[in-house]
């Protein structure tokens, strides 16, 4: 929902920047917004994906109101039971009792979670209370109880159909879920679609057909909406729309630099525009038109954003590198991945590093290059998502595209941070486990 504001007294913070509410410089893109609106009219599930701060949540909020959705903010410790329980609770279904029952199968992995769900029966009784004064009507809602298995998608669908559920289930931050939970949900999506229950999934990744890799039966049952790429003309429209609202304009040089430094990320564009206005001392719409052309104010805005990003990225890189202590004995591969990332050209990082190239780069700087095997690289790259989740790196910095075999940076603020930081200073902040290990052996 857009912020309510006086058009003659518009605040910069309502026009530019990254925030929960939709900023006024939002633009609709044919290849994204129109496709999303068309998808809403189908009976397919919708998957919105792209890198961090590229407008996934904003797109959803623009076209789906709070009254039309049941929102689940996914977190790493979510399982099927907690997700489905939340959906039912938010839909007005009460969980009367909870019974956990372990049923052993041949692999000891089959489990059932039975509950008694109280389904509201609206409109059953209308009762009148009071007399001439203070007369009031009270609507009484009756419930009926049924026993369901909360781990079974069909049971969930039957309950939702029983209450005439007609909202979208939104699974935001789907990428935080364990791979096994993602896979389970991918299979449940088929059941939900057959039962008329629609799901919108938002996740941070860049490859197509992510869910189809878990369940090939989803082909033609989901509509994918990539929010990337943002083109220069899109950025121009955003900047020009915001500037018009604030009665200001940016010089072509400043606009081009903002676009170049954003690495294709709308979040960075928004933040640089906001900080540039603040650097000029502009907080509200200007009564008289003003042109921003001095590059020193853009440099000030850049420095502010570098400082904002430094703490997160230094901590995140250090946390990933520190995982080396608990990784393959003596290889310290997480540390070397971090080192390669920091030393790589940011343009190469933007397009992603192919696995063979990454393997060779690590061998070039590794203290025991002959020990770095392909299998070790596979274990590291396939576990990178879980490693970042375990280290509470939210949103994640990296994603390994298994179909394209490419390591990608999915938080462009890291590219921005590396672009304007001294890489030697960054590496100095990351303890080298090889040195620490050698020193420990002396004692």
């Amino acid at each position: 929902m857009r912020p309510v504001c006086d058009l003659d007294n518009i605040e910069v913070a309502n026009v530019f920047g990254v925030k929960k509410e939709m900023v006024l410089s939002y633009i609709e893109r044919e290849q994204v917004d129109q496709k999303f609106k068309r998808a809403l009219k189908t009976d397919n599930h919708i998957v919105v994906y792209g890198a961090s701060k590229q407008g996934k949540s904003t797109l959803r909020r623009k076209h789906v109101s709070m009254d039309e959705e049941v929102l689940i903010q996914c977190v790493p410790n979510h399982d099927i039971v907690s997700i489905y329980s939340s959906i039912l609770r938010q839909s007005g279904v009460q969980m009367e009792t909870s019974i956990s029952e372990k049923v052993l199968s041949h692999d000891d992995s089959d489990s059932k979670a039975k509950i008694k769900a109280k389904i509201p029966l609206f409109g059953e009784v209308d009762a009148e209370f009071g007399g001439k004064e203070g007369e009031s009507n009270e609507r009484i809602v009756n419930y009926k109880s049924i026993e369901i298995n909360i781990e079974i998608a069909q049971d969930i669908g039957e309950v939702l159909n029983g209450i005439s559920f007609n909202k979208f289930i939104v699974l935001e931050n789907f990428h935080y879920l364990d791979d096994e939970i993602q896979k389970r949900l991918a299979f449940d999506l088929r059941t939900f679609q057959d039962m008329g229950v629609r799901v919108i999934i938002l996740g941070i990744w860049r490859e197509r057909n992510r869910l189809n890799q878990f369940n090939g039966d989803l082909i033609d049952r989901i509509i994918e909406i990539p929010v990337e790429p943002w083109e220069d003309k899109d950025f121009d429209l955003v900047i020009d729309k915001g500037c018009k609202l604030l009665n200001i304009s940016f010089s072509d040089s400043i606009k081009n630099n903002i676009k170049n430094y954003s690495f294709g990320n709308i979040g960075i564009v928004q933040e640089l525009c906001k900080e540039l206005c603040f650097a000029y001392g502009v907080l509200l719409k200007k009564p008289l038109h003003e042109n921003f052309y001095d590059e020193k104010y853009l440099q000030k805005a850049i420095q502010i954003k570098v400082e904002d990003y430094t703490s997160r990225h230094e901590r995140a890189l250090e946390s990933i590198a520190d995982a080396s202590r608990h990784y393959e004995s003596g290889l310290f591969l997480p540390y070397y991945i971090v080192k390669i990332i920091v030393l790589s050209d940011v343009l190469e990082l933007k397009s992603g590093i192919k696995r063979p190239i990454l393997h060779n780069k690590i061998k070039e700087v590794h203290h025991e290059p002959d020990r770095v095997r392909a299998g070790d690289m596979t274990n590291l790259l396939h576990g990178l998502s879980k490693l970042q989740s375990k280290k509470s790196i939210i949103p994640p910095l990296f994603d390994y595209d298994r179909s394209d075999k490419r390591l990608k940076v999915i938080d462009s603020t890291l590219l921005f941070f590396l672009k304007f930081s001294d890489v030697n200073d960054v590496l100095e902040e990351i303890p080298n486990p090889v040195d620490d290990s050698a020193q420990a052996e002396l004692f």
Side-chain angles (χ1 to χ4, degrees):
M1 182 178 295
R2 294 192 175 194
V4 178
C5 58
D6 181 355
L7 292 180
D8 291 326
N9 201 32
I10 298 176
E11 295 182 13
V12 168
N14 286 333
V15 176
F16 289 128
V18 175
K19 56 189 299 186
K20 182 179 179 180
E21 297 82 13
M22 188 178 303
V23 291
L24 294 174
S25 57
Y26 182 92
I27 64 163
E28 292 195 15
R29 295 178 289 162
E30 171 67 29
Q31 73 276 22
V32 177
D33 291 75
Q34 296 306 317
K35 185 177 180 180
F36 186 79
K37 288 192 285 188
R38 290 192 296 268
L40 291 174
K41 297 177 181 179
T42 70
D43 63 354
N44 294 77
H45 302 304
I46 302 172
V47 176
V48 182
Y49 68 96
S52 177
K53 297 181 179 65
Q54 287 287 49
K56 297 179 293 297
S57 298
T58 306
L59 174 70
R60 187 202 90 241
R61 288 195 295 265
K62 171 70 175 178
H63 303 293
V64 180
S65 70
M66 294 176 64
D67 294 335
E68 297 175 310
E69 68 180 24
V70 168
L71 175 62
I72 308 295
Q73 293 282 3
C74 299
V75 294
N77 62 351
H78 261 152
D79 57 15
I80 292 294
V81 171
S82 59
I83 292 172
Y84 289 167
S85 295
S86 180
I87 291 171
L88 294 182
R89 282 195 303 271
Q90 293 186 62
S91 304
V93 178
Q94 297 182 11
M95 267 60 84
E96 189 176 51
T97 60
S98 179
I99 307 170
S100 296
E101 176 184 317
K102 180 73 176 178
V103 180
L104 299 182
S105 66
H106 293 297
D107 60 1
D108 293 342
S109 63
D110 185 25
S111 65
K112 294 182 179 179
K114 293 182 179 179
I115 67 165
K116 284 186 178 179
K118 295 177 65 176
I119 301 177
L121 303 174
F122 296 102
E124 290 292 308
V125 179
D126 284 325
E128 291 188 1
F129 299 91
K132 292 181 180 179
E133 269 189 51
E135 188 175 278
S136 63
N137 293 324
E138 180 176 330
R139 191 178 187 187
I140 298 176
V141 180
N142 288 338
Y143 291 85
K144 72 173 182 179
S145 295
I146 62 172
E147 188 174 276
I148 65 171
N149 186 328
I150 203 168
E151 289 187 312
I152 303 300
Q154 182 168 337
D155 285 17
I156 303 301
E158 288 174 355
V159 171
L160 294 177
N161 286 335
I163 60 173
S164 300
F165 182 83
N166 62 353
K167 298 183 179 183
F168 293 98
I169 295 172
V170 178
L171 301 178
E172 182 138 22
N173 296 323
F174 189 79
H175 52 279
Y176 290 158
L177 299 175
D178 183 83
D179 283 351
E180 287 303 313
I181 303 300
Q182 292 185 31
K183 183 177 181 180
R184 173 72 180 276
L185 287 169
F187 278 90
D188 287 354
L189 287 176
R190 165 67 191 271
T191 301
F192 285 140
Q193 194 208 23
D194 289 343
M195 302 183 75
V197 178
R198 302 280 304 282
V199 180
I200 299 175
I201 289 174
L202 291 83
I204 294 179
W205 59 79
R206 280 179 163 165
E207 76 270 28
R208 298 174 59 235
N209 301 321
R210 179 89 162 218
L211 295 187
N212 291 342
Q213 296 175 25
F214 293 129
N215 181 10
D217 203 26
L218 288 179
I219 295 176
D220 297 328
R221 294 178 180 273
I222 61 176
I223 297 175
E224 293 190 316
I225 314 287
V227 292
E228 299 175 276
W230 281 82
E231 300 178 3
D232 275 2
K233 64 179 182 179
D234 300 323
F235 290 148
D236 285 332
L237 289 172
V238 168
I239 295 171
D240 292 344
K241 182 178 181 180
C243 285
K244 185 176 180 180
L245 288 168
L246 295 170
N247 199 23
I248 60 176
S249 59
F250 298 161
S251 68
D252 289 341
S253 175
I254 283 182
K255 285 174 61 174
N256 288 335
N257 281 332
I258 288 175
K259 290 184 291 184
N260 290 336
Y261 298 154
S262 73
F263 299 99
N265 188 287
I266 184 61
I268 296 177
V269 168
Q270 288 280 6
E271 284 294 304
L272 285 179
C273 289
K274 180 186 72 175
E275 294 297 341
L276 176 61
C277 291
F278 290 164
Y280 263 93
V282 177
L283 302 179
L284 300 170
K285 177 181 178 179
K286 299 291 292 185
L288 299 176
H289 186 271
E290 186 172 338
N291 182 40
F292 295 175
Y293 59 87
D294 195 331
E295 293 283 343
K296 72 179 181 183
Y297 291 102
L298 177 58
Q299 294 305 314
K300 183 177 180 180
I302 289 171
Q303 187 57 41
I304 289 172
K305 294 315 300 178
V306 170
E307 292 172 0
D308 287 346
Y309 298 147
T310 294
S311 177
R312 159 174 155 75
H313 291 319
E314 285 187 347
R315 182 196 64 80
L317 294 173
E318 183 176 347
S319 294
I320 294 173
D322 187 62
S324 295
R325 304 174 190 280
H326 310 289
Y327 219 74
E328 300 93 340
S329 177
L331 283 180
F332 308 125
L333 289 184
Y335 166 77
Y336 283 105
I337 274 222
V338 168
K339 186 172 183 176
I340 294 303
I341 292 293
V342 172
L343 293 176
S344 294
D345 183 87
V346 290
L347 294 180
E348 181 183 16
L349 293 177
K350 182 182 176 182
S351 60
I353 305 178
K354 294 289 284 185
R355 173 182 164 148
I357 295 175
L358 180 63
H359 192 177
N360 288 333
K361 282 177 174 286
I362 288 179
K363 293 182 72 172
E364 288 174 1
V365 297
H366 201 276
H367 65 290
E368 294 184 76
D370 294 338
R371 291 187 58 206
V372 183
R373 301 164 300 179
D376 298 320
M377 292 295 300
T378 298
N379 291 335
L380 173 64
L381 293 171
H382 288 189
L384 200 53
S385 176
K386 185 174 293 187
L387 168 60
Q388 292 175 96
S389 174
K390 185 177 180 180
K391 292 291 186 177
S392 300
I393 299 172
I394 300 174
L397 298 182
F398 313 118
D399 182 52
Y400 179 63
D401 185 341
R402 298 192 188 191
S403 59
D404 192 30
K405 297 188 183 339
R406 191 185 295 265
L407 178 66
K408 297 180 178 179
V409 174
I410 52 175
D411 186 343
S412 297
T413 63
L414 175 62
L415 301 179
F416 182 90
F417 165 71
L418 293 175
K419 166 75 175 178
F420 294 102
S421 299
D422 186 318
V423 295
N424 292 319
D425 290 344
V426 174
L427 284 176
E428 284 183 5
E429 294 297 321
I430 301 172
N432 186 334
V434 180
D435 296 339
D436 292 348
S437 177
Q439 191 170 22
E441 290 179 2
L442 294 177
F443 298 94

